[in-house]
Amino acid sequence: MTQHTPSKKLLAVFAHPDDESFICGGTLAKYASEQVDITLVSATRGEMGRRMGNPPYLNRETMADAREIELRNACDSLGIRQLQFLDIRDKTVEFVDENSLTTRIADIIQKIDPDVVLTFHEKLGGHPDHCAIGKATTAAFQKLGRRGALYFITFGDAMERPERYGYSRKDVVKIDVHAHLDAKLAAFRDHRCQTEIDEWVWLPDQEAKARFGKYEYFLKADRASSTLNHDDLFIPTLG
């Protein structure tokens, strides 16, 4: 009798449409190609974004719907199976009641029971919405005492030198995404209103992909743990 192996599950909790593609699209595409069941939670629909197409064709009334469609297309390109919105107004995540937001995210974590959770670092996230959703997700994960692992997404190749941010190399997981840049580029282009102004995104594929790094970097939330290696988010931790 063939034994069914349960799918690994990954939950990504971000602030805006395009966070998933621009920051860690290669990693999400990699794990989706390995049959990991991925759920993306977007706190907002990005309706306050300053880019409205090039030339502009959106406004504040039409932006949210357009960016939701773009995000759903990007999810298809990356292989993300489930998408949820928290319906928080863009640029106001930091003002939402923290306990209420933490509870909402904890409910999602309990329902999905992910092996890996990705979110923003509450101090290194850059945008206030990023930091706020990262803080709430971290609190929810810790409140539940979850199995599995929590990681913080990072920008570009900043964590090639983590010492600048108070971390060491043992705190970093480096994911090789070079085989998944086609999907990442497709997702960039799906976020049309945000990327039309960036000429490089629309160059011939090989030229555009040359602008991407071959790796994406993640910080372990549990710095006290060690892992068998540093190139897979799903490697179990050793206490």
Side-chain angles (χ1 to χ4, degrees):
M1 181 177 177
T2 303
Q3 227 176 5
H4 175 68
T5 302
S7 296
K8 295 176 182 177
K9 290 182 284 188
L10 184 152
L11 171 65
V13 186
F14 300 151
H16 311 107
D18 75 29
D19 291 339
E20 80 302 326
S21 299
F22 294 176
I23 302 173
C24 59
T27 297
L28 296 175
K30 164 187 160 61
Y31 285 119
S33 75
E34 297 171 3
Q35 305 307 308
V36 173
D37 190 352
I38 301 175
T39 298
L40 171 64
V41 174
S42 182
T44 79
R45 284 178 167 77
E47 64 269 26
M48 297 302 290
R50 288 177 293 178
R51 294 186 174 192
M52 298 187 179
N54 185 35
Y57 51 85
L58 296 174
N59 56 45
R60 288 287 167 245
E61 282 66 42
T62 60
M63 177 76 88
D65 287 345
R67 294 197 71 184
E68 177 178 343
I69 291 169
E70 291 181 348
L71 179 54
R72 292 189 184 281
N73 291 338
C75 285
D76 288 342
S77 292
L78 296 175
I80 297 171
R81 297 179 184 175
Q82 289 88 29
L83 171 64
Q84 299 181 36
F85 289 94
L86 296 182
D87 295 318
I88 300 171
R89 184 169 177 78
D90 192 12
K91 293 190 177 180
T92 71
V93 182
E94 64 181 310
F95 304 113
V96 173
D97 179 78
E98 190 174 323
N99 290 331
S100 174
L101 182 55
T102 297
T103 297
R104 290 184 69 187
I105 297 170
D107 289 344
I108 293 170
I109 294 174
Q110 280 193 306
K111 181 177 180 180
I112 293 172
D113 190 26
D115 302 284
V116 165
V117 176
L118 303 181
T119 194
F120 285 96
H121 190 287
E122 68 174 273
K123 294 182 179 177
L124 301 178
H127 191 291
D129 281 355
H130 295 174
C131 295
I133 199 66
K135 183 177 182 181
T137 302
T138 301
F141 184 90
Q142 293 173 341
K143 175 183 177 181
L144 294 171
R146 298 304 298 171
R147 67 176 183 85
L150 172 67
Y151 298 93
F152 304 122
I153 59 177
T154 70
F155 298 93
D157 61 359
M159 289 303 156
E160 268 291 344
R161 296 176 59 191
E163 297 81 7
R164 293 178 296 177
Y165 304 93
Y167 287 84
S168 68
R169 291 189 182 276
K170 71 179 181 63
D171 300 317
V172 178
V173 177
K174 180 177 178 180
I175 304 295
D176 184 344
V177 299
H178 81 276
H180 304 281
L181 297 183
D182 285 333
K184 183 171 181 174
L185 179 59
F188 261 68
R189 290 172 174 172
D190 288 327
H191 288 290
R192 177 184 163 197
C193 71
Q194 301 303 294
T195 59
E196 282 179 322
I197 199 170
D198 298 315
E199 292 183 7
W200 69 267
V201 176
W202 305 94
L203 292 173
D205 290 0
Q206 289 304 118
E207 293 181 56
K209 288 189 294 182
R211 300 290 294 266
F212 293 140
K214 294 183 179 180
Y215 300 94
E216 292 172 350
Y217 301 80
F218 302 81
L219 284 173
K220 301 176 197 173
D222 183 2
R223 299 178 66 179
S225 73
S226 60
T227 61
L228 297 177
N229 61 40
H230 300 281
D231 60 5
D232 188 349
L233 298 176
F234 287 87
I235 292 296
T237 57
L238 301 174

